[in-house]
Amino acid sequence: MTDASMDSVPVKGTLTTVDARTKKRNAAEKRFKAYGIVAILIGLFFLVVLAVSILRSGIPAFTQAEMQLEFVLTQEEFDAAESQVLKTKAYENIFITKLQDALTEKGLTVAFDAAAIERLLGKPGSTIREFYRANPDQIGQPVTFSLPASSRVDGYFKGRVSRDTVVDSRFFEASDLDLVDALADAGIIVRNFNWNFITGSDSGVDHPGGAGIGVSVIGSFFMMLVVLALSLPIGVAASIYLEEFAPQNWFTDLIEVNISNLAAVPSIVFGILGLAVFIQFMHLPQSAPLVGGLVLTLMTLPTIIISTRASLKAVPPSIREAALGVGASKMQTVFHHVLPLAAPGILTGTIIGLAQALGETAPLLLIGMVGFIARAYPEGVVSGFIDPNSAMPAQIYTWAARADAGFYEKAWGGIIILLIFLLTMNIIAIILRRRFERRW
Amino acid sequence: MYDIPHHTQETAVTDVKIKAKDVQVYYGDTHAIKDVSVEIENNTVTAFIGPSGCGKSTFLRCLNRMNDTIDICRVQGDILIDGEDIYDKRVDPVQLRAKVGMVFQKPNPFPKSIYDNIAYGPRIHGMARNKAELDEIVERALRRGAIWDEVKDRLQAPGTGLSGGQQQRLCIARAVATEPEVLLMDEPCSALDPIATAQVEELIDELRQNYAVVIVTHSMQQAARVSQKTAFFHLGNLVEYDDTSKIFTNPEDSRTESYITGRIG
């Protein structure tokens, strides 16, 4: 740089006026910020729409119209009913009589027949009979029965069914709504919080009122146990080997590429693999959480391996050097120093992998965890793994596919419960990460 | 004390601790160290100086086989410690590193307590039979690292909470806790301020009583202050290796002279 060139620098404008170039740059910056804000607002808008529509459609699933009736069954009535040929019909008649008595007591005169009660409640006789056979000491005692009302009665309370839309059929008649109104006025039909939805089992296709998600929550739980027990140790061991021990050559490169690709394989492919390998070849039981867990393990492994490798990579090499420098072996270095530092990241990755697996439906379709009625809780741990069961997303899918409008609402309710589980898992992941994160 | 520079206090009898002969190091196709032969003496501070990328750190890391962890690195030639070839197939690098301690450029305490930082090495080498012995080892190491007085009341505090200079002295204490015979230091003061540097340099001079110390440094003043022997590396070659006083006052090679006078590097 010579003095001559210094002199030739042209005199620019003052700092107080903004030149055209700067103006352009500032405008571009402002535009970019605006794009960002717009993108976030769009995202938030859809999130709100999603949350509102899920809550609006799903919350009714947590209440259920029930017919509550308290009455006393005498020993004579019990004996008489048990001696009949059509026993549940006899109990139904008893119920109708008791209902009539209760109405008369309240000074109401409503005419109804057995068919109308069946349209409102299904068949109450069997529930009552089962109760007294299981609890014979309750005979002669006042007992309150809460019987879930039929889908249309429930829908009437929730605004899904009205006098204008109801079509007379053998399932329901418009005149039944007068009976429902009268019973509601008498306080016999009430809308209650539906614990059965959270703890209960699936019900038949024509009986949405009794359907619950509880059994499939247990199914999901056992599946997650399998996924956790398999994918965490295998995934972490594989990542530690690949990241810390394996030599860098074409073979490990190939493995690496394949793991990344595996993470992008559609989940239904894992489902068909599970069907072919676990059920058709290994003859594991169909529809079992064990098989579901195995399939989801295949799906979760790449996620866990990728996140574990990322957190191992994030451990500063100086820590490894320090450990090697004092004479620690490779394995001591990894297990005493690297792994504890990577643990929060590994945990987070695992929980996110599990959450992903929890919400996965497609592979479960192929191994038969949908399309049947998950009626019974498993009897024990082993039964929990190998007896046919559903899983939360599979149950939701099953409900959504059923005809009765009552099940549609159940599907949304199931989604709320699934989301609660997922949110809980994500919160746990955040807490664990905060808690175990160490700084260096 | 008298104003005698350290390098004039040389011990009359010197025995060779490390002997390197015709050492070649390759990173893939790059020839990083060319024909380096050097004899490092016991109870001496040997400084490796040279411009960046000249191979001095690489050579240092050969002395405790730290380069083994780099896949593409190949070492040829002989490096003998006490007459034993450390690249012999039968030598376990883990055992070697217990004998040849290392202090790194950036202080790298483990994210554990001060006590555990020091106790880790002795623990994995089974040097203490019980807690009392371990306590003793920790105290001795911290005293030798000239940091005992500062941390004795907070041994359970995290080592990462100390200041940079304290951390580096903690790392030196950690390195001496396993009773090595050679101490390698890779620019131990480059991340420290002048006061911390002075403390660490004083410590290095004390450590000379018990160990052969090899230090890589970018600061020629530091090399002149702490070392008795100096090796000048340039482009992977060992250009000159002699008494520090000679290198800094009357170098034989013109490149050495250019470097120490600041014309290259």
Side-chain angles (χ1 to χ4, degrees), chain A residues 31-210:
Chain A
R31 270 200 309 278
F32 183 74
K33 270 190 202 161
Y35 294 152
I37 290 170
V38 167
I40 288 171
L41 286 180
I42 291 175
L44 277 179
F45 171 74
F46 282 111
L47 190 67
V48 168
V49 167
L50 186 72
V52 166
S53 66
I54 288 177
L55 288 178
R56 227 181 50 163
S57 312
I59 281 183
F62 291 88
T63 59
Q64 168 71 35
E66 288 175 331
M67 193 181 280
Q68 276 184 341
L69 188 65
E70 192 190 53
F71 62 85
V72 181
L73 185 83
T74 62
Q75 188 69 45
E76 295 81 57
E77 285 172 318
F78 178 73
D79 292 338
E82 286 297 318
S83 64
Q84 301 232 349
V85 180
L86 295 170
K87 293 185 181 67
T88 55
K89 186 71 187 170
Y91 281 100
E92 192 180 311
N93 291 335
I94 292 170
F95 179 77
I96 289 166
T97 323
K98 302 285 183 189
L99 182 60
Q100 210 103 49
D101 292 349
L103 287 172
T104 335
E105 210 174 286
K106 286 195 162 79
L108 292 163
T109 46
V110 192
F112 57 88
D113 53 3
I117 290 298
E118 280 185 18
R119 288 198 294 273
L120 260 53
L121 285 183
K123 293 198 180 349
S126 61
T127 317
I128 297 167
R129 178 166 185 246
E130 268 164 37
F131 175 79
Y132 282 113
R133 281 166 63 86
N135 307 288
D137 53 317
Q138 292 294 315
I139 295 169
Q141 305 285 325
V143 178
T144 308
F145 283 94
S146 294
L147 303 163
S150 76
S151 161
R152 286 180 180 77
V153 177
D154 193 42
Y156 177 60
F157 281 95
K158 291 169 183 167
R160 200 172 61 228
V161 173
S162 69
R163 280 190 167 70
D164 311 327
T165 59
V166 74
V167 181
D168 284 359
S169 70
R170 67 186 175 89
F171 300 115
F172 209 70
E173 287 168 14
S175 58
D176 291 342
L177 290 174
D178 301 331
L179 178 59
V180 171
D181 282 337
L183 290 172
D185 287 341
I188 289 174
I189 290 186
V190 285
R191 196 174 163 190
N192 278 340
F193 188 78
N194 189 5
W195 283 108
N196 181 56
F197 176 62
I198 297 168
T199 59
S201 56
D202 195 9
S203 61
V205 285
D206 51 356
H207 190 224

Side-chain angles (χ1 to χ4, degrees), chain A residues 246-248 316 318-330 332-333 336-337 341 438-440, chain B residues 61 66 69 71 94 97-98 100-102 104 106 108-112 120-121 124-125 160 174-175 178:
Chain A
Q248 282 288 319
S318 67
I319 295 291
R320 291 185 183 83
E321 284 188 333
L324 291 175
V326 296
S329 70
K330 191 103 198 178
Q332 286 172 326
T333 303
H336 295 169
H337 300 286
L341 288 173
R438 284 193 253 183
R439 302 183 192 285
W440 53 82
Chain B
R61 292 165 68 95
M66 230 27 195
T69 56
D71 279 335
V94 170
R97 287 180 204 132
V100 183
M102 187 156 190
F104 298 87
K106 215 180 114 218
N108 54 356
F110 300 129
K112 299 178 183 231
Y120 181 70
I124 60 170
H125 296 300
T160 43
R174 182 177 65 191
T178 53

